[in-house]
């Protein structure tokens, strides 16, 4: 089954999960247990469970939340979390060595972000930011062997720029990867790893609807664009590797919506 989440309204805080059993040819809604104002930003499969991390709009502000489904998305249950009360948004999820990682904003008004780690399936969380600047927003994690890669956008005081960090000790510390070829990428939206290649998507313009995919064959040291077949105004928010295929889900700007 494929799962996709997104907004079902162009003007209000209404979100939905859809499920496909035929590789994306047709879709049905699957929202039992999920509030309409919960925007899922990432899924993570752990054994037979699916975790959904995102942001719930409480009428005034956003707050990070985590839901779990143990029946292939037929129903969802909120996980009561301790330690995430300071997290306004849940941007990305990862699972490695019996730990769940979540990233998001710890401020409702300034550029301050954090990574939190749970060792008990989301019941409690502790911050894990050593090596990460406060203004680096992680939009996606990718686990490769014993390493966790974090892709996202760094706010340099004026603009955003795409960056990539790596942890080789279960998130205890993070190191920036010096990249070549990503200077034109303002945001790092999604990461994937397939056949010894890294894929990253993001915006190549700070003001217009222009997006790109870049590929690295050397663990993120250098990158080249790989956009054949993709429209410029298609913003990829997530990749999913299924067998020998890579699926890219996102939002296409048609000039109006």
């Amino acid at each position: 089954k494929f799962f996709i989440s997104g907004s079902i309204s162009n003007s209000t805080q209404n979100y939905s999960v859809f499920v496909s059993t035929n590789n994306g040819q047709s879709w049905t809604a699957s929202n039992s247990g999920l509030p309409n104002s919960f925007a899922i930003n990432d899924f993570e499969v752990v054994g037979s469970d699916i975790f959904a991390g995102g942001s719930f709009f409480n009428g005034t502000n956003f707050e990070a939340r985590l839901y779990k489904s143990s029946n292939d998305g037929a129903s969802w249950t909120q996980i009561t979390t301790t330690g995430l009360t300071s997290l306004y948004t849940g941007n990305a999820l990862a699972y490695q060595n019996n730990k769940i990682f979540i990233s998001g904003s710890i401020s409702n008004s300034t550029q301050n972000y954090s990574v939190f780690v749970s060792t008990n399936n989301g019941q409690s969380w502790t911050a894990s930011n050593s090596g990460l600047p406060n203004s680096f927003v992680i939009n996606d994690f990718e686990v490769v062997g014993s390493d966790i890669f974090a892709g996202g956008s760094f706010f340099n005081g004026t603009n955003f720029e795409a960056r990539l960090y790596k942890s080789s000790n279960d998130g205890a510390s993070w190191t920036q990867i010096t990249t070549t070829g990503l200077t034109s990428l303002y945001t790092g939206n999604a990461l994937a790893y397939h056949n010894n290649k890294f894929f990253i998507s993001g915006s190549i313009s700070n003001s217009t609807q222009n997006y790109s995919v870049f590929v690295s064959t050397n663990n993120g040291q250098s990158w080249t664009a790989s956009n054949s077949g993709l429209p410029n105004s298609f913003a990829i928010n997530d990749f999913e590797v299924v067998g020998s295929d890579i699926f890219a889900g996102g939002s296409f700007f048609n000039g109006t919506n």
Side-chain angles (χ1 to χ4, degrees), residues 209-233:
Q209 302 289 341
N210 282 282
Y211 305 94
S212 180
V213 174
F214 288 83
V215 179
S216 172
T217 58
N218 55 8
N219 278 348
Q221 300 299 311
S222 60
W223 300 80
T224 55
S226 181
N227 300 303
S228 179
L230 294 174
N232 292 339
S233 54

Side-chain angles (χ1 to χ4, degrees), residues 94-101 117-120 143 145-148 168-171:
Y95 184 82
Q96 187 191 46
N97 289 341
N98 298 316
K99 294 181 178 180
I100 298 180
F101 296 79
V117 180
S118 173
T119 59
N120 54 10
V143 175
S146 59
D147 296 326
I148 308 172
S168 300
N169 53 13
D170 288 346

Side-chain angles (χ1 to χ4, degrees), residues 12 19 33 39 47-48 59 71-72 75 84 91 100 103 118 120 123 130 142 153 156 159 165 169 210 229 237 247 251:
T12 60
V19 179
S48 59
N71 53 13
D72 288 343
S75 62
L84 284 188
N91 292 354
I100 298 180
S103 66
S118 173
N120 54 10
Q123 300 299 311
S130 179
E142 186 69 19
S153 309
N156 60 20
N159 296 312
Y165 285 77
N169 53 13
N210 282 282
N237 296 319
F247 291 81
S251 308

Side-chain angles (χ1 to χ4, degrees), residues 9 66 69 76 78 85 121 127-128 141 162 184 186-187 205 247:
S9 172
L66 193 66
S69 175
W76 302 83
Q78 184 182 355
T85 54
N121 278 344
S128 183
F141 293 107
S184 61
Y186 285 90
T187 62
S205 172
F247 291 81

Side-chain angles (χ1 to χ4, degrees), residues 157-175:
T158 305
N159 296 312
F160 280 97
E161 58 186 60
R163 282 193 180 182
L164 193 65
Y165 285 77
K166 181 178 77 170
S167 175
S168 300
N169 53 13
D170 288 346
S173 61
W174 302 83
T175 304

